[in-house]
Amino acid sequence: ITLASIFDGLKAPENLHARVTRALVLRVIEDERASTPYFPNEAGLCEQLAVIRGILCEAIKVLLDKEMLEARA
């Protein structure tokens, strides 16, 4: 069983914020497995996910609250 299969099993429709949060969670998990993890900057993520900065920032806040990401000083 994978995290992706758990998310795919959910029946409730996701809003944009939830989809972006899920995409970031999966990216964090994939990056942890990579030998050289890479997380693009905010502008790059907005472009890749096709969302505005506000949606991305809300999703990032969720990951920060769950301690899946660390804010740089």
Side-chain angles (χ1 to χ4, degrees), residues 2-73:
T2 65
L3 186 59
S5 66
I6 292 169
F7 280 118
D8 291 338
L10 298 176
K11 299 295 181 196
E14 290 181 307
N15 62 26
L16 183 57
H17 171 265
R19 284 187 295 201
V20 172
T21 302
R22 179 171 61 115
L24 292 179
V25 167
L26 294 174
R27 180 170 292 207
V28 167
I29 291 169
E30 289 171 3
D31 284 352
E32 286 177 351
R33 294 180 190 159
S35 58
T36 55
Y38 170 73
F39 214 72
N41 64 21
E42 199 174 81
L45 282 172
C46 284
E47 185 176 326
Q48 288 177 10
L49 299 170
V51 295
I52 61 172
R53 185 174 177 266
I55 295 291
L56 179 65
C57 288
E58 288 301 315
I60 288 173
K61 284 180 189 176
V62 171
L63 272 66
L64 288 169
D65 289 344
K66 302 286 184 188
E67 297 181 0
M68 294 186 75
L69 292 179
E70 292 180 10
R72 289 194 300 186

